């Protein structure tokens, strides 16, 4: 699609690399199609909490891939920020990690009878 739009702007295929084109043709449909189907199938066979925890790990895997393949350097501040975000996502999604208020506190907040 980008090549079609670029051709209207005057690009005539200069610098065309068959290796890059083959890589794009392989990874585009593979990632967009096959892995999306696998993801939907996997979500159907697990709980919402497990799916949320798995998706909360996506930035971790992206950071690891950037470090391994692109040589990205992560400073302590970036790692701390990422760890705090990940911890917050896990606390929000994993019931055992949540701290529930006592019934008396819920009664004061909501003004209803809470067992």
């Amino acid at each position: 699609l980008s090549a079609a739009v670029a051709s209207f702007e005057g690009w005539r295929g200069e610098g065309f690399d068959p290796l890059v084109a083959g890589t794009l043709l392989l990874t585009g449909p593979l990632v967009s199609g096959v892995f999306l189907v696998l993801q939907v199938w996997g979500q159907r066979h697990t709980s919402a909490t497990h799916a949320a925890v798995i998706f909360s790990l996506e930035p971790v895997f992206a950071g690891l891939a950037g470090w391994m393949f692109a040589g990205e350097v992560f400073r302590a501040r970036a790692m701390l920020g990422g760890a705090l975000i990940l911890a917050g996502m896990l606390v929000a999604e994993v019931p055992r990690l949540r701290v529930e208020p006592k019934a008396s506190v819920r009664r004061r907040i909501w003004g209803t009878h809470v067992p």
Side-chain angles (χ1 to χ4, degrees), residues 19-44:
L19 180 63
V20 172
T23 303
L24 291 175
L25 289 174
L26 175 69
T27 58
L30 185 67
V31 171
S32 299
V34 175
F35 289 138
L36 183 61
V37 169
L38 290 173
Q39 175 184 339
V40 171
W41 177 84
Q43 282 180 283
R44 188 178 308 150

Side-chain angles (χ1 to χ4, degrees), residues 4-111:
V5 172
S7 65
F8 289 117
E9 298 295 323
W11 180 74
R12 298 291 175 238
E14 300 91 10
F16 177 79
D17 184 358
L19 180 63
V20 172
T23 303
L24 291 175
L25 289 174
L26 175 69
T27 58
L30 185 67
V31 171
S32 299
V34 175
F35 289 138
L36 183 61
V37 169
L38 290 173
Q39 175 184 339
V40 171
W41 177 84
Q43 282 180 283
R44 188 178 308 150
H45 298 292
T46 190
S47 69
T49 301
H50 286 153
V53 169
I54 291 167
F55 283 124
S56 71
L57 292 174
E58 184 178 356
V60 174
F61 292 123
L64 287 173
W67 172 70
M68 287 173 46
F69 300 117
E72 289 189 32
V73 177
F74 296 100
R75 308 259 185 264
R77 185 176 180 181
M79 286 192 277
L80 176 64
L84 289 173
I85 291 170
L86 183 61
M89 293 158 84
L90 290 173
V91 167
E93 293 299 331
V94 178
R96 290 189 313 249
L97 298 177
R98 281 192 217 140
V99 176
E100 295 291 333
K102 294 180 181 176
S104 60
V105 174
R106 288 187 297 207
R107 243 189 317 262
R108 275 185 271 145
I109 293 172
W110 299 106

